[in-house]
Structure formats: C-alpha cells, structure tokens
C-alpha cells in the first residue's frame, strides 16, 4: 500500500511529537519502522507521556490495551490515520 501525502504528514507530526516528548531523542533518530522500546528506548513512563501527548494533539482517546499493541512509529501513525479519519460518533 503506497504512502499517501496524508500518511506522510501524520508520520512527520508523530516524529516531531516523539522527539519533543521523549528525552534525548531527535527527529533524525526516528524511522517509521522504529520500535518504540527496542530502537528508541521508550520506557513505560515515556510511553504514558507519549500516549497523553498523542491524545492531546489529535483530541482522541487511546485505550491502554490499544496503546500496548502499538509498538512501532508506523503502527501509531496507521492507528491515527484510522482514528482521526473516522467520523465522530461512528457509523458502523
């Protein structure tokens, strides 16, 4: 599946947010396929701060069980693309 301009924009915003939220992490170190824990050294406290920052930035709620399944930058961006694009109130 090719990356759209919207997906690239989400990834860039997410990289900026990660660098601003996680201590000693620069945007240049963050690859879309980076593992939060293994590659970027995001510990449990930094993960909570990151989830809170994501929720604040995109005005969404990320349930803890969902946050636990999002282990790479690309997975978070894909989740945001689905969640942010979903209509408010949902129509399932």
């Amino acid at each position: 599946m090719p990356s759209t301009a919207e997906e690239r924009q989400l990834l860039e915003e997410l990289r900026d947010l990660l660098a601003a939220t996680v201590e000693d992490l620069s945007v240049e170190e963050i690859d879309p396929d980076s593992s939060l824990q293994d590659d970027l050294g995001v510990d449990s406290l930094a993960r909570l701060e990151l989830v809170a920052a994501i929720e604040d930035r995109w005005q969404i709620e990320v349930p803890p069980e969902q946050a636990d399944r999002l282990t790479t930058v690309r997975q978070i961006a894909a989740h945001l693309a689905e969640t942010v694009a979903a209509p408010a109130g949902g129509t399932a």
Side-chain angles (χ1 to χ4, degrees):
M1 175 161 119
S3 183
T4 66
E6 185 176 312
E7 288 169 340
R8 285 191 299 274
Q9 177 65 30
L10 260 176
L11 273 170
E12 286 305 310
E13 288 184 50
L14 185 55
R15 288 175 72 210
D16 291 341
L17 186 70
L18 261 162
T21 305
V22 179
E23 191 174 324
D24 298 328
L25 189 62
S26 69
V27 172
E28 292 79 25
E29 296 174 82
I30 304 168
D31 184 70
D33 294 314
S34 295
S35 163
L36 295 178
Q37 183 175 355
D38 298 336
D39 298 326
L40 304 178
V42 175
D43 62 18
S44 57
L45 180 59
R47 191 182 222 348
L48 290 174
E49 292 171 355
L50 176 61
V51 169
I54 287 169
E55 289 177 333
D56 187 52
R57 163 63 185 88
W58 280 280
Q59 298 297 302
I60 61 170
E61 185 176 333
V62 182
E65 61 276 1
Q66 180 67 41
D68 289 344
R69 288 193 298 267
L70 302 174
T71 60
T72 68
V73 176
R74 189 178 305 276
Q75 287 174 336
I76 296 171
H79 175 73
L80 286 172
E82 287 178 13
T83 306
V84 174
T91 54

